[in-house]
Amino acid sequence: MSSYVFVVLGAVLVNNVVFVRVLGLCPFMGVSKKLETALGMGYATTFVLTLGSGTSYLIDHYLLAPNDLSYLRTLSFIVVIAAIVQLTELIIEKTSPLLHQVLGIYLPLITTNCAVLGVPLLNVAMSHNLLESLLFGFGSSIGFTMALILFAGIRERLEGADVPVPFRGTAIAMITAGLMSLAFMGFAGLDRYQ
Amino acid sequence: MDRQITREILFNGLWKQNPGLVQLLGLCPILAISTNVINAVSLGLATILVMILANLGVAALRNFIPYEVRIPVFILIIASLVTVVDLAFNAWLHGLYLVLGIFIPLIVTNCIVLARVEAFAAKNDVVHSTLDGLAQGAGLLAVLAVLGAMREILGSGTLFSGIDLLIDGAEPLSLFGAHYPGFLLAILPPGAFFALGLLIALRNWLEGRAAARRHARGTLAPAAEAGAA
Amino acid sequence: MLQKLFKFHGGVKPDSRKQDSTRQPIRSLPLPSELIVPLHQSIGGTPRPLVRVGDRVLKGERIGAAEGPVSAAVHAPSSGIVRAIEDRTMPHPSGLPASCVVIEADGDDRWFEREPVPWKSMKGDELRDYLRDAGIVGLGGATFPSHVKLRAGAKPTHTLVLNGAECEPFITCDDMLMRERAAEIIRGAGIMAQMLAVERVLIGIEDNKPDALAAMRAAAADGIEVVAIPTLYPAGGEKQLLRVLTGVEVAAGRRPLEFGLQCFNVGTAYRMARAIDHAEPLISRIVTVAGNVEAPANYEVLVGTPIDALLAAGRPRPDTDRVLMGGPMMGFALPTTAAPVVKATNCVLAGSPSLLPPPPPEMACIRCGTCADHCPVDLQPFELYWFGRSHNFGKAQEYHLFDCIECGCCSYVCPSNIPLVDYFRFTKSEIWARERDKTAADLARERFEARNERQEREKRDKAERLAAKAEATRKKLVDTEPVAGAGTASPAEEAKKALIAAALERAKQQKSSVKPRNTDNLSADKQAEIDEIEARRARAGGRTVEPPENS
Amino acid sequence: MSAEHTAAATSLRSAGVMLAFAVVFTMMMAATYRFARPDIEAAREAAKMKLVDAVLPPERYDNPLLEDTVELGPTPALGLREGGRVYRARHGTDDAALIVEAAAPDGYGGRIDLLVAVGADGRVAGVRATAHSETPGLGDYIDPRKDRNKHSPWIEQFRGRGPEPAGELRLKKDGGELDYRVGATISARAVTGAVARALAWTRAHAAELYAAPAGSHF
Amino acid sequence: MSHSPYLRESRSVRQIMLQVLLALLPGIVAYVWQFGAGVLIQLLLASTAALAAEAAMLRLRRKPLGLYLGDLSAIVTAWLIALSLPPIGPWWMVVLATLCAIVVAKHLYGGLGQNPFNPAMVAFCVMIVAFPAQMSQWPDAGLDFGQQLDLILGGERVLDAITAATPLDALRTGLRAGGAEAHVAEILQGAAFGTVGGRGWEWVVAGFALGGLYLLWQRIISWHLPAAFLLTMALTATLLWGMHPERFASPLLHLATGGTMLAAFFIVTDPVSGSTTPKGKLVFAGGAAFIAYMIRSFGNYPDGIAFAVLLMNICVPLIDMYTQPPVFGHKRGSS
Amino acid sequence: MFEALLVMAGIALVLGAVLGFASVRFKVQGDPLVDKIDAILPQTQCGQCGFPGCRPYANAIADGEADINQCPPGGDEGVRKLADLLGREYKPLNEEHGVEKPKAVAMIDEQTCIGCTLCIQACPVDAIVGAAKQMHTVVASECTGCELCVAPCPVDCITMEPLPETVQNWKWKYPTIPIGKAA
Ligand SMILES: Cc1cc2nc3c(=O)[nH]c(=O)nc-3n(C[C@H](O)[C@H](O)[C@H](O)COP(=O)(O)O)c2cc1C
Ligand SMILES: Cc1cc2nc3c(=O)[nH]c(=O)nc-3n(C[C@H](O)[C@H](O)[C@H](O)COP(=O)(O)O)c2cc1C
Ligand SMILES: Cc1cc2nc3c(=O)[nH]c(=O)nc-3n(C[C@H](O)[C@H](O)[C@H](O)COP(=O)(O)O)c2cc1C
Ligand SMILES: Cc1cc2nc3c(=O)[nH]c(=O)nc-3n(C[C@H](O)[C@H](O)[C@H](O)CO)c2cc1C
Ligand code: SF4
Ligand code: SF4
Ligand code: SF4
Ligand code: SF4
Ligand code: FES
């Protein structure tokens, strides 16, 4: 039981996808200018990443591994994730126009978030079981969402700051991300305590 | 092939629309793998290879790809190319393969690859597309190399460590002697962010200065856009 | 009975400096030769001028009639001749001119014929119309037409509050008024109380005015309670005073009336009594002249008196570098002292570099929160400042920018010397401007779309009609063809020609009867504007087009 | 009706195109895989052997030691919570060395995985840290690749040491002979302790280990 | 032209910063008394570096030098850095730390008042991540000033002789080395740990607390921050100590050691990078204390205050957003 | 090899079918983006952007056919807002389309006007009243200042008058030289 807690905790804080594993940075930099959009992207990613982790586990475990097809992992994972994205869009469009309005524009962008492929691949590398894969996917995406939201909060505040001209915009955002990543290093070791 | 367009495509990839400094795409490998020059350059070369081939492939096949499945097909093409590169590294550069880890398969989701395929190769002919892949990949490679060098020099005071993975027995350069304490932070993720932030600022500064100079001379920047735009 | 007092958050205690100007009784000023009466002297519509250049007017004669439901009349402060109706610089921070009636006083100061007002027998609306026509507006600062505030709300009004707090440093006009004319203030309060049918009247006076408190207590009638409140700027703010006296917090955007409360300045009550008992419209007020002057005192001044003249009576010292209208906390530097005294003028304050030192250089906000600690409406001024600076107007509004009463407490205490209130004023006016633009854009979009639709419809209609007509013509031609068969042209050709001719004819007719159809569905005031334009056109003399009224 | 119809038609068409692309590119990948596979496996083998070479010089054995293994269950004495593996090196028919997977549970950053080679003489032949999370720049000198002293890395000190004379496998700070880096004693102490325990255990079970059938569970 | 209000009455930023520096003095005196005068060198080095960096940045950014340099905020940052680094750290370390704080954490964000992260804590974190070895060397008792000066200026570091662990480092080290068998009590007995917090630390802690009370009295800081910080620290520590007294240190130790007091009164109270609303301050300081405790007890770093403060700095915009105090007239129950 | 083909073919088939189906079923939908863009445009309807009105320009931006810096009446701020909405880089107003001018309204010299109705036909927002052969007048509060009526007037009686600043529409200025936004 507690090992599952550590899987999630580790994925959210200690090995945060963005700050420690350095994945998913393009959307992290791209859609963090406003809190609102950050939230939308976060929700969408959480959904796809969790589902993608589970599905990828199933594909790897039942289709690829038994047939010695591990070289098809990258391809099949990404294609399946793309399909999940499309299907999600389709389903929410039909069932919840409201949700679609919130998430609609972010869903297509998710396919090129390398965290959605990276996390399933890490699941394989860390030989997680199905539940662990799901939890790891969920934890990672929560970590991503959290990072995105906090970052957006700071960026909104930075809007009025008198930042030196060459650093305005993305440069200072990058520095800020660095400082956040520095802060997250403080969590090192928290997932290992027994 | 038109010289002017060629130059523009190259200029775009390397400077004006540099993926790492301007478009902010493909950041994950840039930040994760730039802990030393060798890693950075190796991944950069792998990415260039994939980008060239992907742009070439898509540009060649674009007329056969229906609109509604274009993204999955692009991904299919890219993923296959990446798998081939991955297998090649595994077989012939195994040491590097272990170091680069999941970042070779992650070239698939490297936003810049798909972005170029969609924005350029899907709309342009084979020659220009290939060139664009090369230019954008080179832009990425340049950033990777500079970043890798910055971090390696600061962080451990060496250059080309890990070269033995490529060339057996080759020795890395040690720059500050054995007593250099090493600014460890540079090699860790925060250092990656800082270094890229500084690079972006440096580019902004250069651009700003150039703009100021143009302004002083009273000429406007040649408003040339890339063929894609 | 001891009144339980409440507290409001924050506030500051600047040195009150009221002693100098309260040493002498209220004085009067010699009649100036020229009186400049701005038409717009209250919140709401700009009064319509009732006089023409060259007209002779008597003291107290109405020269501008209230325009619209929220507006109050303006009157001639003295007898004389209307010399001009023209733009003159206003006592306003913008220093912009606005329309004024300039009267050359004849020196007789002859009153307009006054009749006693049978107010007890008047119906509420009649009485309110009378007050409007007497130009009674709030003298507490906002010059809101008082008759509007004297209409009972949906809920019964239980408490009338008179504001005698006068919390700003230097200003003593209400203090002196209360000391000298307490009876008439109480009289005015009684009238207001009757109009609003309130249960009790509370008069709040800061405890640094013992003389005024004593005078008011002596004059107070039954049901009127004079309450000493702690001296704390801005206790005189309407909402703060109501909070202190009743514990009720009236949120921004809501009216005291919704809570069964109503609040007037003591000066307003006094003018009310004068208007009812002496049929005297609001043509003069008490103004404090203080600051860097030799003879600080209060004067009863005619509205329209150039501030120069008033200031001269106080004898400003030579190092006077600017003149404020109002107090040092909320007043503003007059762009020119040639501007007239208006109903809102409570104080003319001469400043010198030592008295009102120039602001130290503005530094960065360190988010120390001191400003928030002193804000009487619990705002977070530094956040508003930050949003204003980054032009994040939406966020500023979310953080209740419009609750800010511009009291200046935050700027007063800021260790970084940030002119916070200026940022808020800037942000507010930018937001207003944007809102004006937005409404204009919406209106334009609507009208553009309506026009497009109309053109579509017309085109369609025309096409249909033409088709129908053509059909008919052809039928006719076909019908008549056998008869005209002897012609040289072939019947088909003939038919075509006729068709074209018919179409041409129709087109001609259409053209000559073209009438712009854009005058359908007009709102009332649009119609009014158009009517006005038509009228002007009829006159065919006036050639200026008024800029659109924005307020 | 037409929406349904075109939907079906489009579905078919795109499925067809996807299929075609999938087939072509899968074939490409499969072909590459076929072609590269022997090299991949060789490379994998070589990587493993590199580690083994680091703890045991190749000239000391001549058997395919990666195949000559014994599986261990959870072994607290080796710090193994989930089991591990022992590789047996033989020279001709002689026992040459045992290469044991072990772990130090008490590193500064948690567990340190080790590979310890114990010669037939009962002394340490070599040690390598295979995985650890000691503080970079401080405790990570236990990994010779991170060790600043490239010429005689810290971990090489273990070569040839044994349980006696006493103090051979103890830090100077604890009264022994082994060097350590000041400010990061814990890492050194953890590795040293684990090596000493692994050596003791291996010596105690050497005979059985050499004798057990290949691939068997111990 | 300026507008109303035309009157101002306030303590200037310079005066505020001066008072903070004043409040730090008792703690510094105790520090010198207990650990020797080395820290004075560090304070001097840090102040000089801070002023130089500030001046250079102001010049580069073309800001009025005199005005901003005189606000003394850089000195406050410098002193806090000097006090949180080991007093015998090499000179370049404290200089580098100060440069990080002033140049990166402060001026890249626009200078005073605009930095989202606490500059001093940024400097500390950078240092402990980059130079963990140097950062864990604290002087053993009995080093005289000359020896300390020598060490700071680059003398030969025979570290075994000179360094001793701070209580927290010793605790962490002991627990790691001994696994579960080592008992907290034994570990703490081993070293010469004074009566409460550790050798001499309680005096330093008392000095900082005294300065903190002065700041409270002067209304430069509000009670919310220190109260929430100390209470959360005490509660969390009590809870875990109550459950496993042999594995966790007592709340007293946690309160009276390391940077706890310095943090409670001088660091979480940084107005610029902290939360500003009353409720937000409680959340901010409480969160910082909790994370700091967790890192101390379970993480890789001996003290987590700096990381905890940075982590809470990250959350400040959101905390502030969700804890806006009700505005006049919009309060519950008043409509 | 065979399994590989099988697996991938299966995945491809399903995916292709689903996507094709989805693309047909869920294609038509109003573009909410256009409304958002349109809401930012000033609705002057002047056509300076090169499109017949603001909405067509909004459509063009949404389709990626027009750049965001072509609307002079919207000015710098309009470009910034569009850049914000669309997540694009801000760029200065394209001077080919004109420059930002202070707000103005059209005014008809009522003495000269011959009542030809040409201006009425030109005005996109029906801000001109009058009938044939009668004098025409601009309803100032409705005029967007688009200047479209100026050119058609055969007797040149229409002029654009800048809106004067009055006490009512006067704006407080930014307190000091802005440090942050100066550049
Ligand atoms: C736009 C506006 C509308 C108002 N409408 C009413 C009203 O309908 N009834 C009323 O009793 N007071 C009304 N007031 C008066 C206010 O409640 C208040 O008494 C007045 O603004 C003077 O307060 P001040 O000097 O503190 O601003 C209105 C004020 C303003 C500014
Ligand atoms: C900050 C502030 C301070 C004020 N101080 C006073 C004051 O001292 N005396 C006063 O009568 N009105 C003062 N006012 C105006 C009152 O809010 C309010 O407008 C007035 O009492 C309403 O009465 P009136 O309509 O008769 O003017 C102040 C307003 C503000 C915003
Ligand atoms: C951030 C940090 C990381 C550390 N990492 C390690 C480590 O990885 N290995 C280690 O042995 N000591 C590490 N230490 C040092 C220990 O806490 C302890 O001070 C040291 O091991 C005691 O060594 P000494 O006996 O030589 O003083 C670290 C200290 C700090 C502050
Ligand atoms: C009460 C108080 C506490 C402060 N704490 C810190 C601090 O922890 N770290 C720091 O760098 N500066 C601190 N400062 C100084 C100043 O606020 C800081 O340099 C700004 O963050 C720089 O913009 C403090 C100032 C005050 C008034
Ligand atoms: S008082 Fe001044 S410095 Fe302090 S928070 Fe408010 S605005 Fe900022
Ligand atoms: S001016 Fe506004 S923000 Fe400042 S204290 Fe007064 S009400 Fe609060
Ligand atoms: S240029 Fe004119 S028509 Fe085009 S968007 Fe702007 S205001 Fe509308
Ligand atoms: S009146 Fe003229 S300027 Fe005004 S909106 Fe109509 S056409 Fe445009
Ligand atoms: S490379 Fe773009 S998200 Fe990772």
Side-chain angles (χ1 to χ4, degrees), chain D residues 120-135:
Chain D
D121 56 356
R123 303 191 82 78
V124 178
V127 182
R128 275 294 179 279
T130 51
H132 71 91
S133 43
E134 297 309 277
T135 312

Side-chain angles (χ1 to χ4, degrees), chain B residues 61 64-69 72-73 76-77 79-81 83-84 87-88 90-92 94 97-98 155-156 164-165 168 178 180-182 184 188, chain D residues 10-11 13-15 17-18 20-23 25-26 28-30 32-33 35-37 39-41 43-45 47 50 135-138 140 148:
Chain B
L61 298 172
F64 305 98
I65 304 173
Y67 183 81
E68 66 273 6
V69 288
V73 170
L76 198 96
I77 295 175
S80 316
L81 292 169
T83 306
V84 170
L87 288 171
N90 196 347
W92 301 300
H94 195 73
Y97 174 80
L98 292 178
S156 46
D164 51 318
L165 297 176
D168 257 337
Y180 180 66
L184 246 184
L188 298 171
Chain D
T10 316
S11 300
R13 186 174 58 136
S14 30
V17 173
M18 284 291 288
F21 273 96
V23 166
F25 282 93
T26 312
M28 181 178 89
M29 276 185 290
T32 315
Y33 182 64
F35 179 62
R37 188 173 180 166
D39 288 323
I40 290 174
E41 268 154 22
R44 240 180 238 159
E45 200 86 328
K50 216 171 159 183
T135 312
L138 190 53
D140 64 354
R148 257 169 230 297

